[in-house]
Amino acid sequence: MGASNLQISIALFAALLALLHLPLRVEAATRHYEFNIKMQNVTRLCHKRSIVTVNGKFPGPQVVVREGDRVLINVTNLVPNNITLHWHGIRQLRSGWADGPAYVTQCPIQTGQSYVYNFTVVGQRGTLWWHAHVSWLRSTLYGPIIILPKKDVPYPFPKPYKQVPIIFGEWFNTDTEAIINQAMQTGGGPNVSDAYTINGLPGPLYNCSAKDTFKLKVKAGKTYLLRVINAALNDELFFSIANHTLTVADVDAVYVKPFKTDTILIAPGQTTNLLLHTKTTPPAATFLMMARPYATGAGTFDNTTVAGILEYESTPSTKDLPLFKPSLPPLNDTSFATNFTNRLRSLATPNFPANVPQTVDKHFLFTVGLGTKPCDQNNATCQGPNGTKFAASVSNISFIQPTTALLQAHFTGKSGGVYEPDFPYSPLRWFNFTGSPPNNTMVGNGTKLMVLPFNASVEVVMQGTGIMGAESHPLHLHGFNFFIVGQGFGNYDPVNDPKRFNLVDPVERNTVGVPPGGWVAIRFFADNPGVWFMHCHLEVHTSWGLKMAWLVLDGKLPNHKLLPPPSDLPKC
């Protein structure tokens, strides 16, 4: 064969490979992890507890991958509790069986059983996290997911000298399962946490905790990437580092237009990547990094403050140095919260476009908030309002968790008696949502799904209610990112509010705070077939029923259809 013929053959072969979508050079790797769920004795605040962990670690191990990698995580349950794990923010394109919420996409992994979570990270880079998705077990079962860009693809900001996960959590001196079980029986609010933690450590502002302090040692004149995760059960948090400015570079594993701030707000479920530029010469001082809650509800909450220490290398002994504290916003500073969230904007560049749906196929208005349900204890009064039980709902439907996984019921065509495909498009009962509450505060119950055709463009307005007091609700949607196109206070105005929507560079997230006494509008494409949970990430509100699920039907093409379940999918 002549040289020119050989070149033609090679070119034809390359063209054929391109047509078959077979890459000539496979870059993506497969990452394997072994997660053994086991009990571990941990002491914080002088209280020793046996807690549920992964591999005995608290917080749990990091999952580190590159964009495009396949991930196989073999989870073995060695504790008495049922377990599932959720890979929070991972799109799970056609791999809904690996998403993790109990009785939504899978039955839990029972004691002594194993399950392999198998998914590919597509089109995402940044910080996400994993956590348990059964009852309140995520109070100790959580850890970071670090998604590096593809090889040789730079960050859209200067490469950091070092990367550091900063994970906020809540520590309870008593068993969280006992706390929520008691609250569900009595109908009252559950006991609040005893401390907040940074990377599992409560820090020097709590009694008996100085030795359990997270310390970040830095070099002068360097840029650090802080991968901040709010894994707290029930609290949005303000965070600041004394005398240092932070640059917000990324939220929920999506790059944003960078901006500088002294303080951030981060809701449970959210992640924020911050660039910390250290001082050019080592200062003769140490600095506290602190977080405390942003609290809007009428109920009790943990109003304590967690602190870690930022210290510079090559400074003299830290014992004699002045210690600077940041000033954090007041606990109920909604104006700071609003101003901060309004500054978040997508990069919207050719490399990182903001593919906002410009037209909408399906419009929805859901109310989210608290309410009550009747006391079911014989001849007794419950501890909720006026002798009732606290409840929470989406569009006045408090979600009843099924005993069969919804995705399985859908896939096998055996949905009868498991769920109803008739979630309402808008509230069945209209009232002044953010004004004085109606006389009847009782919620309805049901297991209802909202059905969407494949690839429909969707707009959801989530309207907060003031029935039991207006408060912020961080809503998390599984299986999708969405664009936050608008938000405001009071009741949503369908005529005038859409005129102010940002359809150019709105921030793209997987978890959004519905403002207290206000509304938020999100848009997304229903491009991922399966059953997808949407719920408040304040765990107490999820326990009370502030959750629902979407059913996205298969599309026509083979790659628009949900894959069949894996053979090791746990059984109920």
Side-chain angles (χ1 to χ4, degrees), residues 202-471:
L205 305 184
Y206 294 101
N207 287 337
C208 192
S209 188
K211 68 181 193 317
D212 292 323
T213 299
F214 173 69
K215 289 186 176 165
L216 177 57
K217 280 207 157 164
V218 297
K219 290 185 172 174
K222 301 285 186 190
T223 298
Y224 290 77
L225 178 61
L226 307 183
R227 296 178 173 271
V228 183
I229 299 165
N230 186 352
L233 274 187
N234 289 313
D235 291 280
E236 302 186 55
L237 296 167
F238 295 120
F239 171 67
S240 184
I241 301 176
N243 296 24
H244 286 73
T245 303
L246 303 165
T247 303
V248 178
D250 169 311
V251 295
D252 291 1
V254 183
Y255 295 130
V256 295
K257 291 185 172 77
F259 66 90
K260 290 185 162 57
T261 183
D262 296 332
T263 305
I264 68 161
L265 172 67
I266 184 166
Q270 292 183 335
T271 63
T272 306
N273 277 1
L274 300 172
L275 298 171
L276 166 68
H277 306 288
T278 57
K279 300 183 182 301
T280 46
T281 52
T286 52
F287 306 91
L288 285 180
M289 55 176 87
M290 289 174 23
R292 75 171 181 208
Y294 164 53
T296 54
T300 53
F301 61 96
D302 178 351
N303 66 354
T304 61
T305 303
V306 61
I309 293 174
L310 178 77
E311 52 188 47
Y312 280 73
E313 291 180 14
S314 71
T315 42
S317 162
T318 54
K319 278 183 183 144
D320 310 319
L321 293 179
L323 180 64
F324 289 101
K325 274 186 176 181
S327 63
L328 289 165
L331 295 168
N332 60 352
D333 195 340
T334 294
S335 66
F336 177 91
T338 307
N339 291 337
F340 178 79
T341 52
N342 283 341
R343 294 177 76 186
L344 295 167
R345 292 276 190 272
S346 284
L347 267 187
T349 61
N351 283 344
F352 303 105
N355 295 319
V356 192
Q358 298 295 312
T359 58
V360 174
D361 300 325
K362 299 279 185 182
H363 288 269
F364 304 107
L365 190 144
F366 295 166
T367 56
V368 292
L370 304 189
T372 57
K373 63 182 183 185
C375 185
D376 52 9
Q377 297 184 356
N378 290 336
N379 304 321
T381 56
C382 291
Q383 292 174 8
N386 302 319
T388 63
K389 286 187 157 189
F390 273 114
S393 66
V394 182
S395 292
N396 208 46
I397 299 167
S398 191
F399 185 86
I400 295 177
Q401 188 165 278
T403 51
T404 303
L406 297 172
L407 185 60
Q408 221 165 339
H410 159 65
F411 188 83
T412 57
K414 296 175 183 170
S415 62
V418 180
Y419 66 81
E420 301 291 331
D422 60 354
F423 195 91
Y425 275 53
S426 61
L428 301 175
R429 191 164 53 105
W430 288 76
F431 59 96
N432 181 358
F433 299 122
T434 56
S436 52
N439 293 331
N440 181 2
T441 61
M442 293 291 180
V443 301
N445 299 304
T447 310
K448 294 176 180 289
L449 271 57
M450 177 62 79
V451 182
L452 293 171
F454 181 79
N455 218 26
S457 55
V458 180
E459 178 182 289
V460 191
V461 175
M462 288 182 277
Q463 172 71 61
T465 67
I467 293 175
M468 292 285 148
E471 62 183 296

Side-chain angles (χ1 to χ4, degrees), residues 110-188:
Q110 295 174 19
T111 307
Q113 303 290 308
S114 296
Y115 178 46
V116 177
Y117 289 92
N118 175 358
F119 55 89
T120 301
V121 180
V122 180
Q124 295 181 280
R125 76 296 298 164
T127 305
L128 295 171
W129 63 300
W130 58 264
H131 61 81
H133 219 304
V134 175
S135 189
W136 281 26
L137 290 172
R138 76 173 180 85
S139 65
T140 60
L141 268 179
Y142 59 84
I145 302 175
I146 293 166
I147 309 171
L148 303 170
K150 289 181 175 174
K151 270 207 171 87
D152 306 322
V153 175
Y155 295 108
F157 46 80
K159 189 179 177 185
Y161 169 70
K162 204 171 176 185
Q163 306 183 26
V164 184
I166 304 275
I167 314 172
F168 301 123
E170 280 184 273
W171 172 262
F172 293 79
N173 286 335
T174 49
D175 176 33
T176 47
E177 291 304 281
I179 289 172
I180 186 56
N181 289 343
Q182 181 192 19
M184 295 304 284
Q185 280 175 346
T186 64

